[in-house]
Structure formats: C-alpha cells, structure tokens
Amino acid sequence: MIVLAYVYLGLLAGLACFGFYRYQVIWLYYRVRSLRVAPPPDPAVWPRVTIQIPVYNERHVAERSIQSACDVDYPRDRLQIQIIDDSTDETTELIAQAVQRARAAGADIAHVQR
C-alpha cells in the first residue's frame, strides 16, 4: 500500500512540475509580447525571384499550384514563374490553359516541357 502512495506522490509531483512550467511559459509570453521587432523596410531594389514548379502527371494540383505562385505578394516585374512539365497525360493541356490565363493576367510565366 505504501508503494502505491509513493507512486501517486511521484505522479503528482510530475504533474505539478508540468503545471509550473506551463505557467512560466505563459508568464514569459505576456512579458515579452510587447517587445516585437518592427518589420524591416522594403528594399530600394527588389531582387529578381524565380519560382519553379516541377510537375509530373499531377492534373489535380497543377492549376492550383500555378494560381498560388501567381498570387505571391511580390513585385510583378521582378517575379518569374517557370512550370517544368514532365507529364505524359492530359496534365500538359491543363497546364497550357492555366499558363495562358496567368499570362493574360500579367504574370511572367513560362511552360517548359521536357
């Protein structure tokens, strides 16, 4: 019976330590939440960025991937998107249509079929 009491007290002490740790984390959060660093200013000249999307027979996600790449918050004149297509099914036609729509919307996008 005494062994069960020691096991119970040991578990209780472990839970108490865990609870103390949680309160300490919450206290630290409230203490430093006002010390957030301001985001850096926008650069004078944005670097050119290329997003490459490799695709192989992924007709269910290809259009959404292209749309997501086009929706990136970055200056349009500094962003290039490349779709690298190795597909052997009807995915190529779906990609071609999505690329045409993106070009019509003003995106610098290229469809490279290997």
Side-chain angles (χ1 to χ4, degrees):
M1 205 58 181
I2 195 86
V3 173
L4 287 175
Y6 285 129
V7 169
Y8 177 75
L9 290 174
L11 290 173
L12 192 63
L15 287 173
C17 290
F18 179 71
F20 175 73
Y21 169 74
R22 298 289 291 178
Y23 281 119
Q24 184 181 12
V25 168
I26 291 171
W27 176 75
L28 286 172
Y29 167 75
Y30 283 114
R31 193 179 105 195
V32 299
R33 73 177 175 173
S34 63
L35 302 176
R36 293 186 182 167
V37 178
D42 290 343
V45 177
W46 289 82
R48 288 197 54 80
V49 173
T50 299
I51 298 175
Q52 293 182 328
I53 303 173
V55 179
Y56 178 72
N57 296 342
E58 301 177 45
R59 65 179 176 270
H60 299 293
V61 298
E63 292 182 79
R64 286 182 291 166
S65 298
I66 293 168
Q67 186 61 44
S68 294
C70 292
D71 290 342
V72 170
D73 184 23
Y74 203 78
R76 287 279 185 198
D77 61 327
R78 309 302 290 171
L79 178 67
Q80 178 188 21
I81 302 168
Q82 294 177 351
I83 312 300
I84 299 143
D85 184 16
D86 293 328
S87 299
T88 58
D89 62 355
E90 68 273 356
T91 304
T92 303
E93 291 86 23
L94 294 172
I95 291 172
Q97 293 170 0
V99 166
Q100 286 177 353
R101 285 192 301 271
R103 279 190 188 136
D108 179 13
I109 187 167
H111 181 201
V112 179
Q113 189 172 11
R114 300 190 286 181

